[in-house]
Amino acid sequence: MTLPLILCLVATVIPVFFSRLSSAPAWLSLQGLALAWVALTGHEVVSTHATMVALELLLVRSVLVPYLLRGALRQSVRARMSLMPSNLFTWGIAITLIAFAFKFGDGASSDVRALALGTVAAMAMIALLILSTNIEPGAQLVALLFMENALALFEFLMAEPWTLPVHLAISVLFILTVAVGSHILPQSVQDDGLKEIP
Protein backbone atom coordinates (compact mmCIF):
# COMPACT_ATOMS: atom_id res chain seq x y z
CA MET A 1 0.00 0.00 0.00
CA THR A 2 3.02 2.30 0.29
CA LEU A 3 3.54 2.91 -3.44
CA PRO A 4 -0.05 4.04 -4.20
CA LEU A 5 0.04 6.37 -1.17
CA ILE A 6 3.27 7.93 -2.42
CA LEU A 7 1.75 8.26 -5.90
CA CYS A 8 -1.31 9.99 -4.42
CA LEU A 9 0.91 12.36 -2.44
CA VAL A 10 3.07 13.17 -5.48
CA ALA A 11 -0.06 13.84 -7.58
CA THR A 12 -1.18 16.34 -4.92
CA VAL A 13 2.06 18.13 -4.08
CA ILE A 14 3.77 18.55 -7.48
CA PRO A 15 0.89 20.40 -9.20
CA VAL A 16 0.78 22.95 -6.39
CA PHE A 17 4.42 23.92 -6.89
CA PHE A 18 4.98 23.43 -10.62
CA SER A 19 1.72 23.06 -12.57
CA ARG A 20 -0.78 25.24 -14.32
CA LEU A 21 -4.53 25.02 -13.92
CA SER A 22 -4.85 23.38 -17.36
CA SER A 23 -2.84 20.34 -16.19
CA ALA A 24 -5.03 19.74 -13.09
CA PRO A 25 -7.24 17.11 -14.82
CA ALA A 26 -4.16 14.92 -15.46
CA TRP A 27 -3.13 15.15 -11.79
CA LEU A 28 -6.68 14.38 -10.64
CA SER A 29 -6.66 11.37 -12.95
CA LEU A 30 -3.43 10.20 -11.34
CA GLN A 31 -4.95 10.66 -7.88
CA GLY A 32 -7.96 8.57 -8.93
CA LEU A 33 -5.65 5.85 -10.20
CA ALA A 34 -3.74 5.87 -6.89
CA LEU A 35 -6.99 5.70 -4.90
CA ALA A 36 -8.17 2.69 -6.93
CA TRP A 37 -4.77 1.06 -6.30
CA VAL A 38 -5.13 1.72 -2.55
CA ALA A 39 -8.61 0.17 -2.62
CA LEU A 40 -7.20 -3.04 -4.13
CA THR A 41 -4.08 -3.30 -1.95
CA GLY A 42 -5.45 -1.90 1.31
CA HIS A 43 -6.55 -5.33 2.57
CA GLU A 44 -4.80 -8.67 2.71
CA VAL A 45 -7.62 -10.38 0.80
CA VAL A 46 -9.13 -8.65 -2.24
CA SER A 47 -12.90 -8.85 -1.77
CA THR A 48 -15.75 -8.20 -4.19
CA HIS A 49 -16.45 -4.96 -2.30
CA ALA A 50 -12.85 -3.75 -2.76
CA THR A 51 -12.94 -4.62 -6.46
CA MET A 52 -16.23 -2.73 -6.97
CA VAL A 53 -14.91 0.30 -5.08
CA ALA A 54 -11.66 0.28 -7.08
CA LEU A 55 -13.63 0.09 -10.36
CA GLU A 56 -15.88 2.95 -9.28
CA LEU A 57 -12.86 5.07 -8.25
CA LEU A 58 -11.12 4.30 -11.52
CA LEU A 59 -14.11 5.16 -13.73
CA VAL A 60 -15.35 8.23 -11.85
CA ARG A 61 -12.23 9.84 -10.36
CA SER A 62 -9.65 8.82 -12.92
CA VAL A 63 -11.63 9.02 -16.18
CA LEU A 64 -15.02 10.79 -16.07
CA VAL A 65 -14.36 13.74 -13.73
CA PRO A 66 -10.96 14.70 -15.27
CA TYR A 67 -12.62 14.56 -18.71
CA LEU A 68 -15.44 16.88 -17.58
CA LEU A 69 -12.98 19.24 -15.88
CA ARG A 70 -10.74 19.36 -18.96
CA GLY A 71 -13.73 20.43 -21.06
CA ALA A 72 -14.67 23.15 -18.57
CA LEU A 73 -11.10 24.48 -18.31
CA ARG A 74 -10.79 24.57 -22.09
CA GLN A 75 -13.34 27.41 -22.08
CA SER A 76 -11.50 29.36 -19.36
CA VAL A 77 -9.10 32.11 -20.39
CA ARG A 78 -7.18 31.65 -17.15
CA ALA A 79 -6.37 27.96 -17.61
CA ARG A 80 -2.68 28.82 -18.09
CA MET A 81 -2.30 30.44 -14.69
CA SER A 82 -0.57 28.64 -11.82
CA LEU A 83 -2.64 26.53 -9.45
CA MET A 84 -1.07 28.39 -6.54
CA PRO A 85 0.84 31.71 -6.64
CA SER A 86 4.49 30.98 -7.38
CA ASN A 87 6.37 32.87 -4.72
CA LEU A 88 8.61 31.90 -1.83
CA PHE A 89 6.06 32.89 0.80
CA THR A 90 3.32 30.52 -0.42
CA TRP A 91 5.88 27.81 -1.16
CA GLY A 92 7.18 28.13 2.40
CA ILE A 93 3.66 27.83 3.78
CA ALA A 94 3.00 24.77 1.60
CA ILE A 95 6.19 23.02 2.73
CA THR A 96 5.40 23.80 6.38
CA LEU A 97 1.85 22.45 6.05
CA ILE A 98 3.12 19.23 4.45
CA ALA A 99 5.64 18.79 7.29
CA PHE A 100 2.91 19.37 9.90
CA ALA A 101 0.64 16.93 8.07
CA PHE A 102 3.19 14.14 8.38
CA LYS A 103 3.89 15.07 12.00
CA PHE A 104 0.17 14.50 12.55
CA GLY A 105 0.56 10.96 11.19
CA ASP A 106 3.50 10.11 13.48
CA GLY A 107 1.24 8.85 16.25
CA ALA A 108 -0.10 5.98 14.14
CA SER A 109 0.78 2.47 15.18
CA SER A 110 2.47 1.37 11.95
CA ASP A 111 4.52 2.98 9.20
CA VAL A 112 1.88 2.46 6.50
CA ARG A 113 -0.86 3.92 8.68
CA ALA A 114 1.34 6.92 9.50
CA LEU A 115 2.02 7.44 5.80
CA ALA A 116 -1.70 7.16 5.03
CA LEU A 117 -2.66 9.68 7.73
CA GLY A 118 0.10 12.02 6.60
CA THR A 119 -1.05 11.77 2.99
CA VAL A 120 -4.68 12.48 3.91
CA ALA A 121 -3.66 15.45 6.05
CA ALA A 122 -1.29 16.80 3.36
CA MET A 123 -4.00 16.53 0.67
CA ALA A 124 -6.49 18.37 2.91
CA MET A 125 -3.96 21.09 3.83
CA ILE A 126 -2.93 21.60 0.20
CA ALA A 127 -6.59 21.93 -0.81
CA LEU A 128 -7.17 24.54 1.92
CA LEU A 129 -4.03 26.40 0.86
CA ILE A 130 -5.19 26.57 -2.77
CA LEU A 131 -8.62 27.78 -1.61
CA SER A 132 -7.02 30.54 0.45
CA THR A 133 -4.41 31.73 -2.08
CA ASN A 134 -6.17 31.56 -5.45
CA ILE A 135 -9.50 33.30 -6.09
CA GLU A 136 -9.81 31.87 -9.63
CA PRO A 137 -12.99 29.69 -9.73
CA GLY A 138 -11.17 26.95 -11.67
CA ALA A 139 -8.45 26.66 -9.02
CA GLN A 140 -11.03 26.58 -6.23
CA LEU A 141 -12.90 23.81 -8.04
CA VAL A 142 -9.67 21.79 -8.30
CA ALA A 143 -9.03 22.38 -4.57
CA LEU A 144 -12.49 21.02 -3.72
CA LEU A 145 -11.80 17.92 -5.82
CA PHE A 146 -8.44 17.45 -4.03
CA MET A 147 -10.31 17.67 -0.71
CA GLU A 148 -12.87 15.08 -1.81
CA ASN A 149 -10.06 12.74 -2.86
CA ALA A 150 -8.51 13.20 0.60
CA LEU A 151 -11.83 12.18 2.18
CA ALA A 152 -12.00 9.12 -0.09
CA LEU A 153 -8.50 8.14 1.00
CA PHE A 154 -9.46 8.60 4.66
CA GLU A 155 -12.10 5.89 4.25
CA PHE A 156 -9.39 3.27 3.76
CA LEU A 157 -8.10 4.01 7.28
CA MET A 158 -11.42 3.06 8.86
CA ALA A 159 -11.92 -0.32 10.48
CA GLU A 160 -15.16 -0.94 8.57
CA PRO A 161 -15.38 0.22 4.92
CA TRP A 162 -18.33 2.26 3.73
CA THR A 163 -21.11 0.35 2.00
CA LEU A 164 -21.48 0.50 -1.79
CA PRO A 165 -24.52 2.85 -1.65
CA VAL A 166 -22.41 5.32 0.35
CA HIS A 167 -19.63 5.05 -2.25
CA LEU A 168 -22.14 5.66 -5.04
CA ALA A 169 -23.59 8.68 -3.22
CA ILE A 170 -20.08 10.15 -2.78
CA SER A 171 -19.34 9.52 -6.46
CA VAL A 172 -22.54 11.33 -7.44
CA LEU A 173 -21.49 14.25 -5.21
CA PHE A 174 -18.03 14.26 -6.84
CA ILE A 175 -19.59 14.39 -10.33
CA LEU A 176 -22.08 17.10 -9.25
CA THR A 177 -19.20 19.21 -7.91
CA VAL A 178 -17.57 19.18 -11.36
CA ALA A 179 -20.90 19.68 -13.15
CA VAL A 180 -21.73 22.78 -11.09
CA GLY A 181 -18.16 24.05 -11.46
CA SER A 182 -18.28 23.49 -15.22
CA HIS A 183 -21.43 25.57 -15.34
CA ILE A 184 -19.92 28.39 -13.23
CA LEU A 185 -16.54 28.65 -15.01
CA PRO A 186 -17.84 30.01 -18.35
CA GLN A 187 -20.10 32.46 -16.48
CA SER A 188 -17.15 33.80 -14.46
CA VAL A 189 -15.24 34.40 -17.72
CA GLN A 190 -18.22 36.32 -19.16
CA ASP A 191 -18.56 38.37 -15.97
CA ASP A 192 -14.85 39.30 -16.14
CA GLY A 193 -15.32 40.37 -19.74
CA LEU A 194 -18.20 42.64 -18.72
CA LYS A 195 -16.11 44.21 -15.96
CA GLU A 196 -13.33 45.07 -18.39
CA ILE A 197 -15.65 47.12 -20.64
CA PRO A 198 -15.36 50.84 -19.63
Side-chain angles (χ1 to χ4, degrees), residues 27-184:
W27 293 107
L28 280 166
S29 184
L30 196 58
Q31 284 181 10
L33 183 65
L35 288 172
W37 192 0
V38 169
L40 286 175
T41 60
H43 304 286
E44 293 179 5
V45 178
V46 178
S47 64
T48 306
H49 179 272
T51 306
M52 294 291 289
V53 168
L55 187 61
E56 175 259 327
L57 289 169
L58 195 62
L59 291 176
V60 173
R61 294 178 190 255
S62 190
V63 177
L64 179 62
V65 167
Y67 174 77
L68 294 174
L69 183 62
R70 188 173 291 111
L73 289 175
R74 198 172 290 134
Q75 300 174 7
S76 176
V77 293
R78 295 201 182 108
R80 294 202 39 83
M81 71 182 296
S82 296
L83 196 56
M84 190 179 74
S86 297
N87 59 55
L88 288 177
F89 181 70
T90 53
W91 282 25
I93 292 173
I95 291 168
T96 303
L97 287 175
I98 292 167
F100 276 135
F102 279 95
K103 200 70 179 163
F104 173 74
D106 278 350
S109 57
S110 68
D111 291 339
V112 173
R113 192 167 175 80
L115 178 62
L117 276 173
T119 303
V120 169
M123 289 175 75
M125 291 297 126
I126 291 292
L128 290 173
L129 183 62
I130 295 171
L131 283 171
S132 64
T133 58
N134 196 335
I135 62 169
E136 169 62 28
Q140 295 198 345
L141 175 59
V142 170
L144 287 176
L145 296 175
F146 276 20
M147 182 71 78
E148 290 188 22
N149 279 341
L151 293 174
L153 182 59
F154 181 73
E155 187 245 337
F156 299 113
L157 296 173
M158 299 169 62
E160 289 294 325
W162 292 332
T163 60
L164 284 176
V166 173
H167 277 287
L168 291 176
I170 291 172
S171 290
V172 168
L173 180 64
F174 198 66
I175 293 168
L176 282 176
T177 302
V178 176
V180 170
S182 299
H183 180 69
I184 291 173

